[in-house]
Amino acid sequence: MSTTPTLNGQVIGQAHYATRSLLERATGPLGLSFGQVVALNALAAGPVERAQLVHRITSTLKIDEPAVRELIDGLVDADLVQVDGSAPHLRLTDGGRATQTRVADAVAGITARLYRDIPAGEAEVAARVLTVVTQRANAELAGA
């Protein structure tokens, strides 16, 4: 007899880590950490001021600023990201764009395989629930 799992942090975490492991397996040959993938995706829309990118990644990944600065420096050293202007904006290089496209393609493939037969209505409900849970957790973290 199978039981329906209870929606809780453990179930959400297991889904996150299983999906993240697939992404890391796909991006590992590119020499990217998970945090660097997040940074490349954030820069895909265009240049971002360094402080804004640091804030975005610290708030998304819940890691400290020195760790984020180190992962950004790694992207700059790998010539995937470059610094523009006096108010330092970061942007993807041509190589960074190509790498980010490969990452996006990998994500699209993983998403297609994992979500392929989940009814759209159920996926929408899950997205709304997880968004609320994330907002509440972030509010608690901000209040701590």
Side-chain angles (χ1 to χ4, degrees):
M1 163 171 34
S2 73
T3 60
T4 302
T6 300
L7 179 63
N8 58 32
Q10 182 178 4
V11 168
I12 294 167
Q14 289 170 346
H16 163 76
Y17 285 114
T19 304
R20 180 175 168 170
S21 291
L22 289 172
L23 178 62
E24 288 174 336
R25 181 189 306 166
T27 59
L30 301 174
L32 300 172
S33 70
F34 182 73
Q36 289 174 322
V37 167
V38 171
L40 289 176
N41 287 337
L43 291 167
V48 176
E49 199 273 321
R50 182 186 289 266
Q52 289 175 327
L53 183 62
V54 169
H55 174 73
R56 180 172 177 176
I57 296 171
T58 58
S59 63
T60 298
L61 297 182
K62 309 303 186 244
I63 59 177
D64 63 17
E65 284 190 26
V68 173
R69 292 183 191 288
E70 183 177 318
L71 75 85
I72 291 170
D73 290 345
L75 291 170
V76 171
D77 292 345
D79 198 32
L80 298 175
V81 171
Q82 74 179 38
V83 180
D84 272 343
S86 58
H89 283 77
L90 301 169
R91 71 170 186 85
L92 296 177
T93 62
D94 290 343
R97 270 191 294 287
T99 300
Q100 195 281 325
T101 297
R102 290 178 66 188
V103 168
D105 290 345
V107 169
I110 291 166
T111 300
R113 292 190 307 276
L114 297 182
Y115 294 81
R116 73 178 171 267
D117 58 357
I118 297 174
E122 289 183 30
E124 289 169 7
V125 169
R128 283 195 305 270
V129 168
L130 293 173
T131 298
V132 168
V133 169
T134 300
Q135 290 168 342
R136 290 176 181 172
N138 284 335
E140 283 198 30
L141 288 167

